[in-house]
Amino acid sequence: MQHPTSSLRRKVLSAPFVCALLASAGLAGCEQQEVADGADGGGGTAGTEGGVGGTSGAAGASGAAGASGAAGAGGASGSSGAAGAGGAGPCDGVPTTGTCVGTTSIRTCMVTHDGETSTSQVIEVACDPTLEKCDATDGVARCVPVGDCAEGVVECKDSATLRTCTSGAWVETPCGADSCEAKTGYGAGCVSFAPGSGLRVQGRFLYEKHVPNSATNPTGYSAAPVAEGGGNFLVTIYEGQELIGIDLTSPGGSTSVGTFDVEVSQAPTATTYIYFWPVAWSDQGKPLIAVARAKSPDPILQEADEYWWWGWELCPGGQGCGTATIDVGDLTVTVGDGSGAANIYHWFQYDYFRLRAMPKWNEVDPPLSTLVLWQGYVDSAQPGIKFSCGSCFLPPSLGGGTVKVGATATENDRYDTSMCIAGRGSGVAGQWDYESHWSRSTMNHEIGHWSMSSWSTSPGEGGPHYVDSASLPGLAYSEAWATFSGQTNISVGPGDNDPIYFTVQNGSGFWVDISKAQWSGGPLDRPNPNGPVDQDVNENIVSSVMWSLWASSNALTPQGLGDGPMFEVMRSPRLNGSVNRGYARLDFIDYLDALSCENLATNSQIQAAVDEVGFPWKAADVVCN
């Protein structure tokens, strides 16, 4: 390993490489947008942020459009266009969920937008011909392993046997006197329970971030950054090329967030380095969550050459290495060194562990893996990347993400999905361009789209959607879930909550308060309580109803259901089966019916929440099966 000369070290990491070391030494949606004077934003790609959403496809159930997305500040969000009744749709029958072209490629309908003009196109992405094939048995086309397993995956077959996927087949390795152990964060390995070296490295990993400049009426972010501990980051300690210690930073609890206490197999020297990675592997040794360096504003590329990482000399100049316990103190990643990537990972790992603990959500473990692509401001010549989608989630039907950490496909890390977070900065203190890595609402909104794709069923609908206007029912439901679930993630709990969605786009900040059904431009338009159940509805009105059901305070009509019912219902047969009521696609009516059918909320609780905003759900009309 070649060490750079700067004090902050960087080194490329590959999941197969780490899993091998562990074995020998013992992881299409978009943010909502502001509308200014009714003007549309710039053109968006794949129905993502930056343009008007895909309008409903020409008549026909098969009509489809691009992956859901959002517009830039002052624009309408882009999403897949839904089909009407009878016809082929904007891509002649090619769906947004994708279709297999033989066994080698995925063909997907995507709609791009420029002002009031929508243009549909068919995107074809190739699976790796040596390792993958296209499969659409569950209705969503995706690249899956050709053999029995995904290349490079390392897992425990049982307590005595480690197995590694090589060329699509399992290769078993007995652990001998050791035991095979798996841990979310850094996968599986043969672990020795013999007495260790007794040598330890301790400290705390922190990163800088900017926060909203007001709790109730934000217009931008804080001028000065604040430091926060980074939990569940992978820690590796190297002596030259040799890995001598590995662990995770603390997520909190009995110790402060970001602290670490790593046992090393030999005494550190002046050539020992410590690294921190925003990556995690599942218990099965599959890449699960990671943040990598974006290299193109095109979200469809979904490719990186390097993970984000940060490292330091453990004993600069050889000083401080002569004790059994080395305390390196606080190691802080600054904004200039890419702390935006750390902030993104902080929220993703937190949400993953929170969400998989929801009732019945452990039935899908691991969920869809996701590669997050981001590049922040470096200098005026490299201001960071604002994707053509702004910030967006790309589902499996668009091929998944790849980190090319080696010369061959077997050395690459593959992810089921990808996510793009805008990082373009102004370089001027106190002036904000499109730095979505500081918007916890934006990041958690995208994570909400990922959670629906991983654990429930998406309506797969799109069309124009504005922060202050009504949208197609299916689109309103999926966007509302992303906002609602995102705001619960950043809240302490139903009684100590944060309902204000805030972001800055193109230098302009705006907010939505889902506890009051208002935004920075005024009250949100409400639906007609006497109108049809399939009427268009504002996504933030739907979020407000969800918030009222969940919250025990700080809501229009707080019902205090909390996490359990509101998240468990996403796994219900009513939402994941063939039953549908009213609108042609899955929508909020179906979500509320499922709450009632599964006895997760009383009809009086649901009625109180919907009546407050005029949403046309009636208990007498519920359909369960």
Side-chain angles (χ1 to χ4, degrees), residues 267-293:
T269 71
T271 57
T272 304
Y273 296 84
I274 184 168
Y275 300 95
F276 299 87
W277 314 83
V279 298
W281 279 267
S282 70
D283 295 353
Q284 296 79 19
K286 178 183 178 182
L288 178 63
I289 304 165
V291 185
R293 289 176 173 270

Side-chain angles (χ1 to χ4, degrees), residues 437-460:
H437 49 280
W438 303 137
S439 172
R440 57 184 187 172
S441 291
T442 295
M443 292 181 286
N444 281 277
H445 180 98
E446 300 308 333
I447 293 168
H449 284 298
W450 165 79
S451 73
M452 178 178 275
S453 292
S454 289
W455 282 289
S456 194
T457 300
S458 171

Side-chain angles (χ1 to χ4, degrees), residues 186-320:
Y186 53 80
C190 293
V191 178
S192 173
F193 291 95
S197 66
L199 302 172
R200 313 196 70 82
V201 175
Q202 301 175 344
R204 190 181 185 202
F205 175 71
L206 302 101
Y207 64 92
E208 292 182 342
K209 67 175 185 177
H210 290 278
V211 297
N213 58 16
S214 170
T216 57
N217 190 23
T219 57
Y221 301 111
S222 58
V226 297
E228 179 163 319
N232 283 318
F233 282 73
L234 183 68
V235 187
T236 58
I237 300 176
Y238 283 86
E239 175 61 44
Q241 294 278 7
E242 182 181 0
L243 177 71
I244 63 172
I246 186 168
D247 209 332
L248 298 174
T249 60
S250 171
S254 60
T255 58
S256 297
V257 177
T259 56
F260 54 90
D261 185 355
V262 185
E263 184 175 42
V264 291
S265 59
Q266 65 186 59
T269 71
T271 57
T272 304
Y273 296 84
I274 184 168
Y275 300 95
F276 299 87
W277 314 83
V279 298
W281 279 267
S282 70
D283 295 353
Q284 296 79 19
K286 178 183 178 182
L288 178 63
I289 304 165
V291 185
R293 289 176 173 270
K295 58 183 184 180
S296 167
D298 179 6
I300 302 302
L301 181 63
Q302 302 182 84
E303 182 181 295
D305 297 326
E306 182 181 9
Y307 289 106
W308 276 95
W309 57 273
W310 307 272
W312 289 263
E313 293 173 298
L314 198 61
C315 307
Q319 299 298 310

Side-chain angles (χ1 to χ4, degrees), residues 328-463:
V328 297
D330 291 348
L331 301 176
T332 303
V333 180
T334 65
V335 171
D337 283 316
S339 62
N343 196 41
I344 294 168
Y345 179 75
H346 163 82
W347 280 112
F348 212 120
Q349 63 81 27
Y350 170 80
D351 292 355
Y352 166 70
F353 285 104
R354 175 178 182 258
L355 293 171
R356 79 168 190 172
M358 295 296 177
K360 297 188 178 181
W361 283 44
N362 62 357
E363 296 171 348
V364 180
D365 194 25
L368 296 172
S369 59
T370 292
L371 176 68
V372 185
L373 297 167
W374 175 83
Q375 177 61 57
Y377 180 92
V378 177
D379 53 37
S380 58
Q382 305 172 83
I385 290 177
K386 182 248 177 190
F387 297 92
S388 57
C389 69
S391 294
C392 54
F393 168 75
L394 286 77
S397 59
L398 287 171
T402 302
V403 181
K404 294 191 170 183
V405 295
T408 65
T410 59
E411 297 176 283
N412 295 337
D413 294 337
R414 292 282 286 131
Y415 294 81
D416 300 319
T417 65
S418 68
M419 190 179 296
C420 299
I421 301 295
R424 191 180 68 197
S426 69
V428 179
Q431 294 184 16
W432 311 103
D433 185 2
Y434 218 117
E435 293 160 280
S436 296
H437 49 280
W438 303 137
S439 172
R440 57 184 187 172
S441 291
T442 295
M443 292 181 286
N444 281 277
H445 180 98
E446 300 308 333
I447 293 168
H449 284 298
W450 165 79
S451 73
M452 178 178 275
S453 292
S454 289
W455 282 289
S456 194
T457 300
S458 171
E461 174 159 77

Side-chain angles (χ1 to χ4, degrees), residues 537-616:
V537 61
N538 185 290
E539 65 192 66
N540 294 301
I541 290 293
V542 177
S543 294
S544 292
V545 176
M546 291 181 171
W547 191 260
S548 286
L549 289 167
W550 174 79
S552 58
S553 65
N554 199 22
L556 290 173
T557 54
Q559 302 301 310
L561 294 181
D563 289 343
M566 298 298 290
F567 285 83
E568 181 178 338
V569 72
M570 297 295 283
R571 297 288 305 142
S572 68
R574 176 64 176 82
L575 279 183
N576 295 283
S578 58
V579 178
N580 183 44
R581 177 164 80 91
Y583 188 62
R585 295 174 184 258
L586 196 69
D587 69 345
F588 191 45
I589 288 288
D590 298 300
Y591 178 92
L592 295 174
D593 278 7
L595 278 175
S596 176
C597 295
E598 298 292 326
N599 296 314
L600 294 171
T602 66
N603 287 339
S604 61
Q605 287 175 313
I606 300 173
Q607 203 69 63
V610 299
D611 286 351
E612 179 64 27
V613 298
F615 187 80

